[in-house]
């Protein structure tokens, strides 16, 4: 090997290793303060992990305080957390360790993907550091969320597909299909990859054989899970189909999500709009260029990226238009496009020559430096605690008192109780959703009737946990005939007047 080639290989190895190490250390720094951030989805994952560790299957507590099968989210992530529980780890700790290694793997895989797509090692020098230091990816890696493992699986699955393009070996399709089958068990968004890859394979020699081998490896796990959903709920999807055009709020949310790739979320609206426009322009221009030259053999890797991106955006658009109008394109939902975009960016930059290439690499370095500076704020925020790991929940006197109460508990927000192993019930209030179902689904067919029934139950016993952050409580006390058992700085414990009188 020539000395120059050896130098390039050493530089590539060093950059990939440094990027993976930086990604790992950033997530550890973020999560070793107050622990990983825990939002509503994270509560479900941790709750389901406990049931899985107990051998009960992927169950979680619904708004009625009952354990039921979780189908809105696939079971791989809570199953892995449950396995960590069996090894003696807290579910939150297991999630942090899993996401730490997955974020590091993503940085490594994104760099290799950019290299393999472009055929130029310089592309990895752009993609790997940028994905390692992207603040929005770091934030999700520091929380109990499914994104890091999903991104690592889907990005890693593209590498054997590119190897198949070069060598034509069927074992590469088996590897890719197996990884994407696991990705579908991590997030349902993986179905976009199951649509895009056969489309891409249909343009290659031996297309029917290749598609059959890929699908044979990819489909078993998703099909088995769909059969489980069908037999337990008599439906393949709990959402009802209805069409509605996107609103201006959807457009604003999409622009905001894309702008987070380049700017802090606190930036001025004009700057965020400009950043979102720049991202859209770059992605569309790259996609159009690849599609126009799609018949050229060297365009095959880029075409794979474009088809995956288009299928994922089509899946997201179909969900918003037909299945879940309350769903807004938040940064989490646009994140799967980022590794594809960075691989394409590395390809584009490596194709430049002379001073243009150096200028482009300097610009990429400045973007990475800006992301690294923003990472300081992300790490600081996560170390203090986010979501139900925030100080106001960790130190809540109302929550601590509620955990000591005997009998059934009803809460204005039962999730912090469920997170701590208490199967609390939700109060039948307007706007309350069933956390185990898609957004907007109410736990009660008739909320007013549910409140009347609850008043009768509370007359016999039970305790209501009201957190002040959920609003004033006086109207509820009058309607349910409640009296204050104990009042705290951040909430109250309430009991039925008749039940208290009997004591």
């Amino acid at each position: 090997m020539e000395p120059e080639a050896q130098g390039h290989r050493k530089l590539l190895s060093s950059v990939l290793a440094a990027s993976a190490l930086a990604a790992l250390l950033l997530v550890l720094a973020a999560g070793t303060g107050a622990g990983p951030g825990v939002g509503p989805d994270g509560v479900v994952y941790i709750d389901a992990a406990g049931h899985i560790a107990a051998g009960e299957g992927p169950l979680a507590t619904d708004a009625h305080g009952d354990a039921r099968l979780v189908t809105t989210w696939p079971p791989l992530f809570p199953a892995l957390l449950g396995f960590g529980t069996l090894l003696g780890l807290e579910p939150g700790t297991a999630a942090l360790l899993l996401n730490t290694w997955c974020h590091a793997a993503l940085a490594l895989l994104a760099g290799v993907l950019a290299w393999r797509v472009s055929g130029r090692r310089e592309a990895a020098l752009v993609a790997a550091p940028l994905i390692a230091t992207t603040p929005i990816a770091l934030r999700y890696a520091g929380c109990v969320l499914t994104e890091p493992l999903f991104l690592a699986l889907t990005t890693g699955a593209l590498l054997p597909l590119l190897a198949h393009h070069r060598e034509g070996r069927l074992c590469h399709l088996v590897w890719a299909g197996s990884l994407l089958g696991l990705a579908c068990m991590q997030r349902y968004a993986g179905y976009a990859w199951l649509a895009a890859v056969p489309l891409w394979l249909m343009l290659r020699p031996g297309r029917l054989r290749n598609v059959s081998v890929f699908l044979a490896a990819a489909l078993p796990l998703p099909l088995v899970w769909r059969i489980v959903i069908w037999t337990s709920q008599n439906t393949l999807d709990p959402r009802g189909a209805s069409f509605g055009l996107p609103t201006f709020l959807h457009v604003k949310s999409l622009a905001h999500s894309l702008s987070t790739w380049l700017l802090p979320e606190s930036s001025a609206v004009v700057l965020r709009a400009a950043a979102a426009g720049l991202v859209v322009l770059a992605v569309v221009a790259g996609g159009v260029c690849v599609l126009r030259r799609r018949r050229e053999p060297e365009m095959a890797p880029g075409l794979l990226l474009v088809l995956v991106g288009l299928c994922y955006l089509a899946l997201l658009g179909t969900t918003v238009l037909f299945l879940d109008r309350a769903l807004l394109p938040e940064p989490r939902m646009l994140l799967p496009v980022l590794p594809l975009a960075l691989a394409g960016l590395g390809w584009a930059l490596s194709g430049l020559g002379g001073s243009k290439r150096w200028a482009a690499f300097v610009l990429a370095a400045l973007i990475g430096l800006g992301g690294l500076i923003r990472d300081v704020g992300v790490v600081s925020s996560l170390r203090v605690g986010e979501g139900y790991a925030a100080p106001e929940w960790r130190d809540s006197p109302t929550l601590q008192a509620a955990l000591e109460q005997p009998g059934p508990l009803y809460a204005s927000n039962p999730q912090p109780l469920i997170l701590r192993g208490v199967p609390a019930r939700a109060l039948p209030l307007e706007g309350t959703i069933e956390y185990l179902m898609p957004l907007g689904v109410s736990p009660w067919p008739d909320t007013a009737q549910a409140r009347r029934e609850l008043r009768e139950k509370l007359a016999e016993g039970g305790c209501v946990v009201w957190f002040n952050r959920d609003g004033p409580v006086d109207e509820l006390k009058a309607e349910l005939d409640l009296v204050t058992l104990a009042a705290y700085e951040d909430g109250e414990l309430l009991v039925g007047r008749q039940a208290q009188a009997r004591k």
Side-chain angles (χ1 to χ4, degrees), residues 70-218:
V70 180
T71 57
T72 303
W73 297 274
L76 178 60
F77 188 63
L80 292 174
L81 302 191
F83 179 72
T85 301
L86 293 176
L87 296 179
L89 299 173
E90 293 289 334
T93 303
L96 177 62
L97 293 175
L98 176 63
N99 285 356
T100 296
W101 287 103
C102 287
H103 188 53
L106 175 62
L108 179 65
L109 292 169
V112 176
L113 177 64
W115 172 26
R116 293 302 188 190
V117 166
S118 65
R120 303 290 294 268
R121 293 189 179 95
E122 296 93 327
L125 307 184
V126 174
L130 287 183
I131 198 71
T133 57
T134 298
I136 197 68
L138 171 61
R139 180 172 296 280
Y140 297 138
C143 296
V144 184
L145 291 171
T146 59
E147 273 67 27
L149 178 56
F150 178 77
L151 294 175
L153 287 171
T154 52
T155 304
L158 298 181
L159 294 176
L161 290 173
L162 296 179
H164 170 77
H165 170 66
R166 295 191 307 270
E167 304 172 16
R169 297 172 60 185
L170 293 179
C171 62
H172 293 136
L173 296 179
V174 174
W175 273 109
S178 301
L179 290 173
L180 290 178
L182 284 172
C184 291
M185 301 300 287
Q186 179 74 355
R187 287 188 62 197
Y188 293 134
Y191 291 132
W193 277 252
L194 294 191
V197 172
L199 288 176
W200 182 73
L201 291 174
M202 289 296 290
L203 302 176
R204 316 254 62 78
R207 52 191 181 183
L208 293 179
R209 178 197 62 181
N210 293 338
V211 170
S212 299
V213 171
F214 170 77
L215 292 179

